[in-house]
Amino acid sequence: MRHRSQHLMALNNLKDAGDIRAGQVIKIPGKQPADVSTQPYGTHTVQRGETLGSIAARYNTTVAELQRINSISNPNLIHPGQVIKVPGSSGGSSSSGSSSGGERIYIVRRGDTLSQIAARYGVSTAAIAQANGISDASKIYEGQRLVIP
């Protein structure tokens, strides 16, 4: 393990493993990632209280990348209801979800129902309940992470 961390530190010109910061892009040895500009984009509808930083974290990207693909000059000027492109979320739109490795995650917001979420993603309520081990569809809660099959 120590050898791997030393390799990552050298690859990224870091003197100390504690030198990394949130949002920093780190090089990792292995296959070259696909160019984001050739990847399909999904959309995200900005919710009240969200920032470009929180959206970037949700979609495993950076504020700078979201600014680039959306032509946003000031990252502090986004507003609820605004629809922005997000990398790697092929098709579909989300008001509060992410996609990674073929799995979509939805973060339950106040007032959501399982049937509303199912309709938004075009899946059945039963499929979401089964994927998340939910026995009572009325027992979802704000902040809960749901896998969308």
Side-chain angles (χ1 to χ4, degrees), residues 27-77:
K27 296 175 190 170
I28 299 175
K31 292 175 85 174
Q32 190 73 329
D35 180 1
V36 163
S37 65
T38 64
Q39 293 179 354
Y41 294 111
T43 59
H44 176 87
T45 304
V46 177
Q47 300 297 303
R48 195 172 99 224
E50 287 185 317
T51 65
L52 217 49
S54 67
I55 296 167
R58 177 175 292 144
Y59 290 93
N60 196 29
T61 190
T62 64
V63 169
E65 181 60 18
L66 289 178
Q67 284 184 263
R68 185 186 71 76
I69 65 177
N70 290 284
S71 301
I72 297 172
S73 58
N74 184 340
N76 298 315
L77 292 178

Side-chain angles (χ1 to χ4, degrees), residues 3-143:
H3 177 338
R4 288 183 188 153
S5 64
Q6 288 174 338
H7 183 66
L8 285 173
M9 288 172 53
L11 184 64
N12 290 283
N13 298 318
L14 299 172
K15 291 178 178 59
D16 182 272
D19 285 343
I20 62 172
R21 63 189 182 285
Q24 182 177 356
V25 176
I26 301 292
K27 296 175 190 170
I28 299 175
K31 292 175 85 174
Q32 190 73 329
D35 180 1
V36 163
S37 65
T38 64
Q39 293 179 354
Y41 294 111
T43 59
H44 176 87
T45 304
V46 177
Q47 300 297 303
R48 195 172 99 224
E50 287 185 317
T51 65
L52 217 49
S54 67
I55 296 167
R58 177 175 292 144
Y59 290 93
N60 196 29
T61 190
T62 64
V63 169
E65 181 60 18
L66 289 178
Q67 284 184 263
R68 185 186 71 76
I69 65 177
N70 290 284
S71 301
I72 297 172
S73 58
N74 184 340
N76 298 315
L77 292 178
I78 62 170
H79 55 84
Q82 181 178 354
V83 177
I84 61 172
K85 291 187 278 188
V86 292
S89 292
S90 57
S93 91
S94 166
S95 64
S96 180
S98 67
S99 167
S100 66
E103 177 180 274
R104 294 177 291 182
I105 302 294
Y106 180 83
I107 309 300
V108 177
R109 298 212 173 264
R110 181 178 304 168
D112 280 344
T113 66
L114 208 53
S115 60
Q116 289 171 330
I117 297 165
R120 181 176 296 141
Y121 285 94
V123 298
S124 71
T125 302
I128 295 176
Q130 181 179 12
N132 293 279
I134 298 171
S135 57
D136 183 347
S138 67
K139 304 272 183 182
I140 62 172
Y141 55 90
E142 184 178 2

